[in-house]
Amino acid sequence: RGAGGAGGKAGAAAGPSPLTVSPPQALVDDTEDVSLDLGSEEELALRKAAIRHPLATFFHLFFRVSAIITYLFCDWFSNSFVACFVTILLLLSFDFWSVKNVTGRLLVGLRWWNQIDEDGKSHWMFEAKRVPTIAASTEAEARIFWLGLIICPVIWTVFLFSTLFSLKLKWLALVIAGISLQTANLYGYIHCKLGGQKSISRVTSRFFVTADVPNRQTRRIPEDYTEQYGKTGT
Amino acid sequence: IPLQFAGLADVSISEDIPVEGEITVPVGAQSPEEDFSTLDEPVKDTIMRDLKAVGKKFVHVMYPKKSSALLRDWDLWGPLVLCVSLALMLQGGSADSKDDGGPQFAEVFVIIWFGAVVITLNSKLLGGTISFFQSLCVLGYCVMPLTVAMLVCRLVLLVGAGTVSFIIRLIVVVAMFGWSTLASTAFLADSQPPNRKALVVYPIFLFYFVISWMILTFTPQ
């Protein structure tokens, strides 16, 4: 991704002229903070808030915790095994879908999915959003996200062993479904976080990467990002 | 002035300088600009998009013609909904229902999912080109005719439980069973080499046969 990477706002020092290629300057001046153009009160408030996506954070935890609570206290809610089974299964499915498609990209800017190309081969893609925008996630949100993501599969594994040892085998199918769904999300996001470099570099070499970046994106280029995500070819 | 440009003359973007910027992975052949918006799209769009995809697949099962788009865009929501409704409808159909049909519900569930997994493994071992989840998706969606058959059977049983109703149910179940098997074979058999088609079709036949048997032998309390 070329010259546009510096955006409209990169206050590159001592640039000779607008004709020059920006990337070398951006690299050289990466210790310099790029000034953000805070246009409005709203954006200022957004930046200061500890949690920028309250709904997403709520739903991220809501479905998983409800599933666990329903499983633990199903006898209080209803006498019917079927009702509990279906409820927990639906909660787990909604949780899987919302964490995979919504809260991941809103809270930590990561996304993973499966893509089948023309030859019918399936590829797993892992994407990480590197450019922080005004409405990007905060540390608090990221912490909530990862804690929720890690603790719940552990709890379901505990349930698995308790089901096995207490021989309440009719719940086994449900617990196994719970573990698979939650572990799948955990694995997918860890893979994104660690930077699926192979997938990213392979795909960017196939597709043309344009140079124009929307103005609202400004970049800070910390050193480690360069190391972690490597080079992209043109 | 030329001096300032001299150093930049031999700058080669692709080799020496790590070019940085947002790494967006375009989905399909879309430009990065469009994909950027999928990453930030409002949640309602995501929901609608997925719902429409599920709906399209249901329509495809009803008119099974070879469509690669269906295979490529797999999802497991349809199979989940179908499996749950089928299992719910098969409730309370046996002598010992002191557990309010608990074990029967889980049984149906396990039969469907475990059966689908085994068929998928079988077709992969036979050298099929279709992916694991695609196959699960197709098998799951093709349970839809049998779910419809179950609904019809329950309605017929509300009216009466004699020989006539049995014959009606038999015809309906056999027809839907044939439809399911043909629909899933249309999608799955093509991914196999020609001399292995029968080896792949047979487990699918057996799978839907077992489900049809459960439906046909259902007698309410």
Side-chain angles (χ1 to χ4, degrees):
Chain A
R1 222 173 153 97
K9 309 277 189 236
S17 88
L19 299 175
T20 58
V21 178
S22 313
Q25 294 179 346
L27 185 62
V28 166
D29 301 331
D30 67 352
T31 48
E32 204 179 74
D33 263 19
V34 171
S35 65
L36 291 172
D37 187 27
L38 300 179
S40 67
E41 283 293 326
E42 192 178 285
E43 288 175 349
L44 262 174
L46 206 51
R47 271 182 69 71
K48 290 212 200 104
I51 293 193
R52 292 197 189 128
H53 303 105
L55 260 188
T57 317
F58 170 71
F59 275 111
H60 174 72
L61 294 175
F62 171 68
F63 288 127
R64 341 198 106 203
V65 172
S66 311
I68 291 180
I69 291 182
T70 316
Y71 179 80
L72 284 174
F73 300 119
C74 59
D75 289 333
W76 291 3
F77 292 144
S78 148
N79 277 331
S80 155
F81 165 80
V82 173
C84 287
F85 190 102
V86 174
T87 312
I88 299 177
L89 192 64
L90 286 179
L91 285 171
L92 286 171
S93 312
F94 291 151
D95 162 72
F96 177 81
W97 184 87
S98 64
V99 170
K100 178 175 181 291
N101 288 303
V102 177
T103 63
R105 62 180 167 87
L106 286 181
L107 294 184
V108 287
L110 299 172
R111 191 170 52 149
W112 60 281
W113 73 96
N114 176 263
Q115 206 170 304
I116 314 239
D117 62 20
E118 297 87 26
D119 326 318
K121 285 168 57 70
S122 114
H123 302 282
W124 291 97
M125 319 284 265
F126 303 93
E127 181 184 354
K129 182 156 124 174
R130 284 181 42 204
V131 181
T133 61
I134 299 274
S137 58
T138 60
E139 274 213 27
E141 290 179 330
R143 217 172 322 152
I144 293 179
F145 178 84
W146 289 108
L147 276 180
L149 203 64
I150 294 178
I151 293 185
C152 290
V154 171
I155 296 184
W156 281 101
T157 317
V158 169
F159 288 159
L160 174 72
F161 288 118
S162 84
T163 315
L164 279 177
F165 292 146
S166 66
L167 292 180
K168 286 196 295 181
L169 293 179
K170 66 181 180 178
W171 292 106
L172 197 62
L174 187 63
V175 176
I176 290 183
I179 291 184
S180 351
L181 290 175
Q182 313 232 318
T183 316
N185 258 328
L186 179 65
Y187 176 75
Y189 279 115
I190 289 186
H191 204 161
C192 289
K193 185 77 177 168
L194 298 181
Q197 273 188 353
K198 277 199 318 247
S199 322
I200 289 179
S201 56
R202 178 159 43 94
V203 174
T204 50
S205 65
R206 275 169 60 201
F207 292 106
F208 176 68
V209 184
T210 61
D212 49 325
V213 171
N215 262 346
R216 59 198 158 97
Q217 282 180 26
T218 50
R219 272 184 329 135
R220 315 184 71 227
I221 312 157
E223 292 283 351
D224 49 338
Y225 270 15
T226 318
E227 307 306 322
Q228 196 177 7
Y229 292 96
K231 308 172 200 265
T232 58
T234 42
Chain B
I1 302 254
L3 224 68
Q4 279 170 317
F5 286 108
L8 295 164
D10 43 49
V11 163
S12 150
I13 296 179
S14 54
E15 283 137 59
D16 304 335
I17 315 292
V19 172
E20 304 160 75
E22 180 185 4
I23 300 178
T24 53
V25 178
V27 175
Q30 291 170 357
S31 71
E33 195 64 25
E34 277 176 46
D35 184 63
F36 179 69
S37 66
T38 351
L39 197 60
D40 278 329
E41 68 184 355
V43 178
K44 202 159 42 110
D45 285 1
T46 319
I47 298 182
M48 289 314 298
R49 201 161 33 113
D50 283 352
L51 278 177
K52 271 193 259 201
V54 171
K56 233 184 353 181
K57 283 202 233 343
F58 274 122
V59 171
H60 266 115
V61 174
M62 295 205 295
Y63 304 107
K65 41 187 197 297
K66 190 86 177 65
S67 136
S68 61
L70 175 75
L71 280 185
R72 285 174 60 175
D73 191 17
W74 61 267
D75 76 83
L76 292 177
W77 281 109
L80 177 73
V81 166
L82 288 172
C83 184
V84 168
S85 29
L86 191 59
L88 279 176
M89 285 196 279
L90 277 169
Q91 278 308 287
S94 80
D96 53 328
S97 49
K98 59 179 164 56
D99 281 342
D100 88 298
Q104 282 79 20
F105 182 87
E107 266 168 26
V108 174
F109 217 80
V110 166
I111 285 178
I112 293 183
W113 284 104
F114 188 65
V117 166
V118 166
I119 295 180
T120 309
L121 285 179
N122 172 65
S123 82
K124 285 201 81 74
L125 284 174
L126 284 174
T129 56
I130 206 172
S131 92
F132 181 77
F133 286 108
Q134 272 179 308
S135 169
L136 281 186
C137 167
V138 169
L139 288 168
Y141 271 101
C142 290
V143 170
M144 194 190 77
L146 286 171
T147 312
V148 170
M150 183 71 218
L151 195 61
V152 170
C153 282
R154 281 214 89 142
L155 292 174
V156 167
L157 280 169
L158 280 180
V159 174
T163 322
V164 176
S165 96
F166 176 74
I167 293 181
I168 298 179
R169 281 186 291 136
L170 182 66
I171 295 177
V172 168
V173 169
V174 167
M176 294 300 160
F177 159 69
W179 192 349
S180 287
T181 314
L182 283 175
S184 60
T185 315
F187 289 119
L188 291 179
D190 276 352
S191 63
Q192 294 289 339
N195 55 336
R196 296 248 175 96
K197 281 203 178 16
L199 281 176
V200 168
V201 170
Y202 173 67
I204 300 180
F205 174 91
L206 205 58
F207 176 65
Y208 289 122
F209 182 78
V210 167
I211 299 181
S212 316
W213 184 260
M214 283 197 294
I215 294 176
L216 196 57
T217 57
F218 173 80
T219 47
Q221 287 307 98

